[in-house]
Amino acid sequence: MTGGFAVRAEALEKRYGEKRALDGFDLAVREGTVHGLLGPNGAGKTTAVRILSTLVRLDGGQATVAGLDVARQPREVRARIGLTGQYAAVDEVLTGRQNLEMFGRLFHLGGRRARQRATELLEQFDLTDAADKGVDKYSGGMRRRLDLAASMILAPSVLFLDEPTTGLDPRSRGEVWDSVRELVAGGTTVLLTTQYLEEADKLASRITVIDQGRAIADDTPDGLKNTIGGDRIEVVVTERADIPRVVKVVARVSDGEPESDETELRVHAPVTDRVSALTEVARTLQDEGIPVEDIGLRRPSLDDVFLRLTGHRTENEEKGAAA
């Protein structure tokens, strides 16, 4: 690898007929980090991962993974990477150990080395106690960890994770997060695509936002949040009719024009002196007899950033709002 970057892409282009899946996409992923790739459906995330993992040929631009050119050295690239898709690719009929030994044999490790590597990975991913149980008896988190273990058979320097915790419950998601952190601590570089913005916030040291085939933002999670301001005061009213009155109250202490959401009965605005602003708004609302459901201070979230940059929520957020 060169220049401290495990993955680099410059002006990537990919067309499917008249549609441009990637339109000059740039990406730089530092070695030994988790780098998040976020974007709405159809933005080009999966296409970018497929090109970088040599599954799809690029139409323009250039890319390197582990210092190797993905277009000219695809075979060498494949020997240095791991790829885990949205759904676990393990065999439920086999045990966890048998799955890993099978993958080892498929990678031409030989019987003895395959068994040894399976034992190492079962221990690394905290699956030793369940090693000889059928995978159909595994929880969702255990299956995902086994899937991650299978992608690490050859100890790749770069691991592509395409929405690795889709459909998992919070506990199982946390188990996968712990496994990813351990991989990075051991020197693996991870490129993570996800619809769970909390996942990117907790795991990624840097995030690229892609939309319409182009990178539209690239920064640390905190840096992205700071682009839309610091602390915000938020008031949730009881009655929709009170929103205009609350907007006027909040405007007295805010650093910008308050925004309101009549569906969520919410008024919010940026503030500098957070404690003073909260105290004054709470006192004024009480003095004017305006009932509220909630009042508080909060930092911008990646949800806010995503909405501001792309104009809509992630698929996961939209499903949550519709539920």
Side-chain angles (χ1 to χ4, degrees):
M1 302 182 197
T2 59
F5 291 100
V7 179
R8 296 213 66 160
E10 297 178 2
L12 284 190
E13 295 184 5
K14 182 63 185 178
R15 295 177 296 276
Y16 293 103
E18 297 298 317
K19 177 178 173 56
R20 285 182 174 270
L22 293 179
D23 188 17
F25 175 64
D26 298 318
L27 179 69
V29 179
R30 289 199 173 277
E31 297 174 13
T33 67
V34 178
H35 192 110
L37 183 59
L38 305 181
N41 282 343
K45 301 187 302 297
T46 298
T47 298
V49 169
R50 287 176 176 171
I51 287 175
L52 294 170
S53 58
T54 76
L55 296 178
V56 172
R57 289 183 176 273
L58 53 83
D59 292 327
Q62 57 185 5
T64 59
V65 174
L68 301 165
D69 189 290
V70 299
R72 292 182 298 162
Q73 300 169 285
R75 184 182 297 273
E76 292 87 344
V77 169
R78 290 178 199 134
R80 303 291 297 277
I81 66 173
L83 173 63
T84 300
Q86 295 183 28
Y87 305 101
V90 293
D91 190 324
E92 295 189 1
V93 175
L94 303 178
T95 66
R97 187 186 305 279
Q98 289 170 336
N99 265 279
L100 294 181
E101 289 180 4
M102 176 186 69
F103 279 110
R105 296 297 292 269
L106 290 173
F107 281 113
H108 308 292
L109 291 185
R112 182 177 179 182
R113 178 56 183 149
R115 289 190 294 274
Q116 182 182 16
R117 186 62 178 145
T119 298
E120 293 169 355
L121 289 167
L122 288 165
E123 182 176 351
Q124 180 179 349
F125 286 87
D126 195 24
L127 291 169
T128 301
D129 290 344
D132 298 310
K133 293 181 180 178
V135 173
D136 60 341
K137 303 296 194 300
Y138 282 24
S139 67
M142 292 169 66
R143 293 185 193 193
R144 216 57 176 111
R145 278 153 46 208
L146 183 63
D147 201 33
L148 283 172
S151 69
M152 297 295 293
I153 289 288
L154 296 183
S157 56
V158 179
L159 179 62
F160 297 98
L161 297 182
D162 190 8
E163 302 190 24
T165 60
T166 295
L168 295 186
D169 59 68
R171 179 178 177 179
S172 297
R173 191 173 300 133
E175 292 175 350
V176 174
W177 291 353
D178 289 341
S179 295
V180 172
R181 291 188 183 103
E182 290 179 14
L183 291 176
V184 174
T188 299
T189 301
V190 174
L191 179 63
L192 168 74
T193 74
T194 180
Q195 289 284 354
Y196 296 104
L197 299 187
E198 179 192 12
E199 183 164 84
D201 203 357
K202 288 184 178 295
L203 290 178
S205 58
R206 196 168 188 90
I207 292 171
T208 297
V209 181
I210 181 175
D211 196 17
Q212 297 182 2
R214 287 179 171 269
I216 59 174
D218 185 285
D219 207 336
T220 64
D222 284 342
L224 289 173
K225 294 171 191 175
N226 288 337
T227 62
I228 61 172
D231 294 310
R232 302 180 74 84
I233 189 168
E234 181 176 278
V235 180
V236 179
V237 301
T238 303
E239 301 292 338
R240 183 174 288 103
D242 288 327
I243 289 179
R245 297 171 65 194
V246 174
V247 167
K248 291 181 180 179
V249 172
V250 172
R252 299 174 194 171
V253 301
S254 67
D255 296 329
E257 191 70 23
E259 299 177 25
S260 61
D261 185 326
E262 293 196 358
T263 301
E264 298 181 357
L265 304 181
R266 185 168 63 101
V267 175
H268 57 99
V271 293
T272 301
D273 191 344
R274 56 202 309 270
V275 176
S276 176
L278 179 62
T279 301
E280 182 175 342
V281 169
R283 183 173 56 245
T284 303
L285 292 174
Q286 184 176 32
D287 291 345
E288 295 187 12
I290 303 175
V292 299
E293 289 291 330
D294 191 25
I295 180 172
L297 293 163
R298 70 178 181 88
R299 289 272 293 156
S301 66
L302 282 182
D303 294 337
D304 300 321
V305 173
F306 194 90
L307 183 61
R308 179 72 61 87
L309 290 173
T310 67
H312 49 82
R313 300 179 185 275
T314 64
E315 179 188 21
N316 186 59
E317 288 296 309
E318 289 170 349
K319 287 179 179 177

